Amino acid sequence: MWTTIVFEPIHSSYLAESIAMWTSFDNWILFSIHAFLSLVVIRSYFYWIFNENYTSSFLIQPPGHYFGARQLSQENIFITLYCIMLAFNYTYHYLVEKAYIAKINNVQQPFQYEFKSNVVSIICNSMKRAVYSFRNTYVLFIFCNGSIYYHAARFFGFYNKVLDSPVVGFRWIDLHLFFRLIMAGTVTMCTYNTANRLYDAVYAITFPVTDSYSNQFDCLVNGLSESKPNAQAAAFSELAVLACKYPEKRVELFRSNGKDLKDNAWYKIMTECVKVINELRDKIDVEYNGVKPVTPPTPVDTPVQQQQSYNRLEYSEGSIFATQKKNLSRLEDRTNTIFSNVAEQVEDMSASTAPNVQTFAQKKWNELGQSHIIKMVKEIEVQVGYVGLLRSIYGETVTRRVQSVFNKYQLVIWAVQALGSLTAASLKEDPYGYVQNDLSHVLNALLGCLVDVERYIKSPPVKYNELVKEDTIVDEANAVLRALREAIYQIKLAFNDYLEEFQIDKRYKSAFVEL
């Protein structure tokens, strides 16, 4: 089934995104669920709330036909078609607007205010979507009324005698039905949008998960190094809130130490935050210089020495308790190597097992379909005589490439905020002075990332000239840039009297002075 994810999936082009959206089996299941729920809500609205007869039965008896086959209710068919169109409209915008991606805001409000501030927009957007869906349904019913009725009659014909063509037509100016239908669609959309907004508001709250544990900071460090993205994001979010809003927790963090200088909570947290920042810097470096080839280590020629085996079995004739050892023969103990080949074979078999056949098949199917469609589009361009006319559709764009580099920008922002707040607060709250040992290291890491991001935004790599350019601003890169500047300025303001003591790298001194 589908999952709510933290990091946004980035596709290389609009065509690739469209193929992934329309060929996903999970999306069609989601549409089916929305269609079923829309039928339930709208038909309940007509039958149970207002006691209307539009949805009481699909079959009606035409006037003058008292025996034989009956016909399908045109109003009931129109209501059903509207439910399907409404579900399709909502599912399409749900996927295009990427509402399935949980947006975690930097400025977090209390739950009631977080939901209250969106009530008016929920009602307005729900009414718009209900009206647009009604317009599309009405136009579709004008052109395809006969075909829709015919196929519905063939379906009901398996169980009842139904007329292939209606005797009683559809009333095209039934304002009572249309008004009721738009109101029912608005109620349905309000239900969906409210549920989605409630989920976002609950997810945006950073719960203090580690407060109930005695080893709170050990649990937090384990979460920061977690391989699961959802758990890692929750840990960094909690760390950012703790570092920015709770001074008593910061004092407790600084007092958490061990036997070694590196055996304390601050050093472990700093290491994980710097690791996330360096991952972003490595991605930017790959965009400029490419992936560096891994050079295999050169073997060292050492003379082979005869090694003496110490694990030996000794064989002796006679009683070993009463006689002296004679005619002693040494046999090598090779029991530890008997099953080594079997173990290697088992490891090879387990490593060669496919992790997920369905995921692999879906990925290959998307790549195959995308390549064929791109080839077809290019052939159309050649036939028309305008090569590259539709390149903006199937070509990779600069915006999407930048978004793929800053795919985990929220994680970087939390790491930067935590480092900036903890370092600035350490001047008055660190009783042992552990943070002072790493001040230069933290500043160089933040300044290095700042310089790399600024260069990446102002002068992108040369190979980006081959990509499709768009006149859009990438919010992810600018958000990281603002967080870096705020953190460095926060440290600089706190240690204003001790700036000369910092060992800033020569490459970053100009950037540090300009802030």
Side-chain angles (χ1 to χ4, degrees), residues 240-256:
V241 173
L242 183 148
C244 299
K245 297 183 179 181
Y246 298 102
E248 65 279 0
K249 288 293 181 181
R250 291 198 301 259
V251 174
E252 186 179 350
L253 186 148
F254 291 135
R255 292 180 180 273
S256 176

Side-chain angles (χ1 to χ4, degrees), residues 399-419:
T399 302
R400 292 177 179 272
R401 177 64 71 86
V402 175
Q403 287 177 343
S404 65
V405 174
F406 289 87
N407 186 27
K408 297 183 178 181
Y409 75 99
Q410 186 64 72
L411 212 63
V412 178
I413 291 175
W414 283 327
V416 170
Q417 288 176 344
L419 276 182

Side-chain angles (χ1 to χ4, degrees), residues 10-17 287 370 374 378 381 388 390-406 456 461 463-470 472:
I10 305 298
H11 300 279
S12 59
S13 62
Y14 291 104
L15 180 62
E17 185 176 3
E287 294 299 312
Q370 180 181 349
I374 292 176
K378 289 182 178 180
E381 290 179 341
L390 303 176
R391 186 167 174 264
S392 59
I393 298 176
Y394 62 81
E396 185 177 3
T397 63
V398 176
T399 302
R400 292 177 179 272
R401 177 64 71 86
V402 175
Q403 287 177 343
S404 65
V405 174
F406 289 87
Y456 185 68
K463 62 181 180 181
Y464 281 21
N465 296 329
E466 303 175 357
L467 305 179
V468 179
K469 296 183 180 180
E470 295 176 328
T472 56

Side-chain angles (χ1 to χ4, degrees), residues 409-482:
Y409 75 99
Q410 186 64 72
L411 212 63
V412 178
I413 291 175
W414 283 327
V416 170
Q417 288 176 344
L419 276 182
S421 298
L422 290 175
T423 306
S426 66
L427 180 64
K428 298 180 180 179
E429 298 175 0
D430 183 13
Y432 305 112
Y434 284 125
V435 181
Q436 297 179 12
N437 299 322
D438 304 308
L439 277 175
S440 300
H441 178 60
V442 171
L443 269 176
N444 286 324
L446 294 175
L447 287 169
C449 188
L450 176 66
V451 171
D452 290 345
V453 173
E454 285 182 343
R455 183 186 64 158
Y456 185 68
I457 294 176
K458 295 179 181 179
S459 57
V462 179
K463 62 181 180 181
Y464 281 21
N465 296 329
E466 303 175 357
L467 305 179
V468 179
K469 296 183 180 180
E470 295 176 328
D471 295 332
T472 56
I473 299 175
V474 182
D475 297 331
E476 293 85 345
N478 291 321
V480 173
L481 198 61
R482 287 194 299 267

